[in-house]
């Protein structure tokens, strides 16, 4: 059931994290849009072959029987508000993001803080392909063949101290590159930030991805490295990470700061706890069109409950949503 005072909701109304960003940002972008329409449309890379190949990864059991969401949908239906508010904007603006050179700052309660070059960070860590479901809080979902490694394998390199109870991550802040960060009207207090409890961060399912479909990550999917937490709503899977902090207390997170009554710190996929404005009982599995919506039931913890349920034993998941 959709909950809204005074009338019915259309399907399009529900695809709306951008509700918080777009109304004002849309007007600010108006001038640029008008200019843009005079220019030839950019030619968008549409197949895996358009991206550099990744080699030497092993295939895993994860998602082996699932039907993959086509590459085109995985790379052209994105939420990456630094690159625009509409689903097609991140692909169109992808070239704005510069991913070379790239480094990650490591701070806080760790034995080995510092600034690590991307190449050093991933050196020596075996790459895996894992097919995971990603379920957005907007009630659409995809099945994506990620390439990456358990987040724990890099976190351990930094030697976390016992005081480290949470991990906070930050996305690149570069308004000169990223159109979404230039908008005076955006509700997000950049940079985008996310956090996990340390046991969630260290869980073997939590993936740091550097590729998909056998290729390096397209920028719109969060190049050069982005988190994938498959039992949580998509917004926890922070893109284009430049900072990792180990903290004693729970960090702020971008969506929780914008609308705390709608987006919690935990954000576990949960069909029993509805978003205040729509149901979370079902989802549209992409590709989804007007005539074949492809609606399926949403599973507790996005179907990963056997692996992660114990992390939340005894917690009231209506309160800690
Ligand atoms: N930095 C950053 N990370 C982000 C977002 C964002 O806007 N900025 N959007 C989040 C949301 S809401 C979702 S659903 C997923 C989408 O990931 P995908 O585009 O790779 O499918 O990225 C998440 N990570
Ligand atoms: Mo999302």
């Amino acid at each position: 059931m959709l909950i809204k005072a005074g009338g019915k909701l259309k399907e399009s109304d529900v695809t709306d994290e951008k509700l918080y960003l777009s109304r004002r940002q849309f007007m600010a972008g108006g001038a640029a849009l008008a200019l843009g329409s005079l220019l030839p449309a950019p030619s968008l890379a549409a197949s895996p072959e358009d991206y550099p190949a990744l080699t030497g990864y092993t295939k895993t059991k994860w998602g082996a029987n699932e039907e993959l969401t086509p590459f085109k949908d995985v790379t052209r239906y994105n939420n990456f508000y630094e690159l625009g508010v509409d689903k097609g904007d991140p692909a169109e603006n992808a070239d704005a993001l510069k991913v070379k050179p790239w480094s990650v700052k490591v701070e806080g309660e760790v034995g080995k803080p510092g600034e690590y070059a991307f190449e050093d960070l991933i050196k020596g860590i075996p790459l895996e392909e894992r097919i995971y479901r990603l379920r957005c809080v907007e009630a659409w979902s995809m099945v994506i063949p990620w390439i990456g490694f358990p987040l724990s394998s890099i976190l351990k390199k930094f030697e976390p101290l016992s005081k480290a109870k949470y991990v906070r991550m930050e996305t690149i802040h570069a308004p000169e590159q990223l159109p979404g960060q230039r908008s005076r009207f955006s509700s997000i207090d950049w940079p985008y930030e996310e956090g996990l409890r340390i046991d969630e961060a260290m869980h073997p399912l939590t993936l740091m991805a550097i590729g998909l479909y056998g290729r390096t990550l397209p920028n719109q999917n969060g190049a050069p490295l982005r988190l994938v937490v498959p039992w949580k709503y998509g917004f926890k899977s922070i893109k284009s990470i430049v900072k990792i902090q180990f903290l004693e207390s729970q960090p702020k997170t971008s969506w929780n700061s914008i609308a705390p009554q709608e987006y919690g710190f935990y954000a576990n996929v949960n069909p029993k706890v509805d978003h205040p404005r729509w149901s979370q009982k079902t989802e549209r599995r992409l590709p989804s069109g007007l005539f074949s919506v492809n609606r399926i039931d949403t599973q507790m913890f996005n179907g990963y409950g056997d692996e992660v349920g114990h992390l939340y034993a005894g917690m009231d998941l209506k309160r800690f949503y």
Side-chain angles (χ1 to χ4, degrees):
M1 193 187 74
L2 300 167
I3 306 144
K4 191 189 186 187
K8 279 187 186 159
L9 268 183
K10 298 193 301 289
E11 181 81 37
S12 58
D13 289 325
V14 182
T15 62
D16 255 356
E17 284 163 339
K18 79 165 189 180
L19 209 84
Y20 286 100
L21 305 151
S22 60
R23 268 200 228 100
R24 290 173 296 162
Q25 202 165 351
F26 185 70
M27 292 164 70
L33 259 171
L35 183 65
S37 62
L38 300 173
L39 302 169
S43 62
L44 292 177
S47 65
E49 292 70 40
D50 296 315
Y51 298 88
L54 277 174
T55 51
Y57 57 89
T58 52
K59 295 197 185 270
T60 63
K61 60 168 184 159
W62 296 106
N65 302 319
E66 297 207 56
E67 195 177 329
L68 301 182
T69 298
F71 183 84
K72 187 176 135 291
D73 300 278
V74 171
T75 57
R76 298 247 194 127
Y77 192 93
N78 301 104
N79 279 337
F80 194 174
Y81 293 106
E82 290 85 338
L83 294 176
V85 294
D86 287 318
K87 295 290 182 269
D89 289 348
E92 242 178 84
N93 297 325
D95 289 347
L97 173 65
K98 301 296 169 226
V99 299
K100 265 179 194 163
W102 195 270
S103 61
V104 177
K105 285 205 177 94
V106 176
E107 300 175 348
E109 309 293 343
V110 276
K112 291 185 168 169
E115 183 160 359
Y116 294 79
F118 173 72
E119 294 74 16
D120 296 335
L121 202 64
I122 65 170
K123 198 182 284 168
I125 301 181
L127 286 179
E128 298 174 12
E129 180 184 78
R130 296 189 181 196
I131 296 168
Y132 277 171
R133 296 178 285 274
L134 180 137
R135 205 285 194 183
C136 179
V137 74
E138 296 169 326
W140 49 267
S141 64
M142 306 197 207
V143 178
I144 303 173
W146 300 106
I147 296 171
F149 42 81
L151 175 65
S152 65
S153 58
I154 53 165
L155 296 191
K156 282 176 193 156
K157 279 191 178 183
F158 312 138
E159 300 177 1
L161 306 176
S162 57
K163 267 185 167 179
K165 305 282 187 251
Y166 294 87
V167 177
R168 174 183 178 275
M169 296 188 195
E170 212 176 277
T171 293
I172 183 175
H173 186 228
E176 70 287 0
Q177 293 178 33
L178 307 171
Q181 292 181 341
R182 285 199 293 274
S183 168
R184 291 188 294 124
F185 301 94
S186 170
S187 326
I188 291 190
D189 190 9
W190 309 107
Y192 195 96
E193 56 185 347
E194 257 307 336
L196 294 171
R197 233 169 45 190
I198 193 85
D199 56 346
E200 298 175 322
M202 290 294 190
H203 191 280
L205 268 186
T206 304
L207 196 75
M208 190 64 107
I210 64 164
L212 53 80
Y213 267 101
R215 305 281 151 165
T216 59
L217 272 184
N219 287 359
Q220 60 268 37
N221 293 89
L225 81 165
R226 60 88 55 86
L227 195 64
V228 183
V229 195
W231 71 96
K232 294 180 182 280
Y233 291 119
F235 66 88
K236 296 297 285 185
S237 292
I238 182 172
K239 295 174 166 179
S240 304
I241 296 160
V242 294
K243 192 181 280 186
I244 303 177
Q245 289 174 317
F246 293 78
L247 304 173
E248 210 175 341
S249 50
Q250 186 177 303
K252 285 193 296 149
T253 65
S254 286
W255 281 101
N256 183 242
S257 301
I258 295 172
Q261 70 289 358
E262 302 195 5
Y263 311 106
F265 175 80
Y266 282 93
N268 291 318
V269 174
N270 189 342
K272 289 181 282 205
V273 178
D274 286 339
H275 184 280
R277 290 183 287 123
W278 59 79
S279 165
Q280 295 292 23
K281 290 183 181 59
T282 64
E283 65 203 51
R284 285 182 303 121
R285 173 61 52 83
L286 302 185
S288 159
L290 202 53
F291 300 105
S292 60
V293 173
N294 203 15
R295 188 167 288 286
I296 59 175
D297 286 343
T298 289
Q299 300 178 64
M300 188 64 204
F301 296 119
N302 205 19
Y304 301 97
D306 287 349
E307 288 81 15
V308 301
H310 69 275
L311 295 175
Y312 310 101
M315 273 177 70
D316 176 358
L317 297 180
K318 282 204 162 67
R319 181 158 167 240
F320 297 101
Y321 57 94

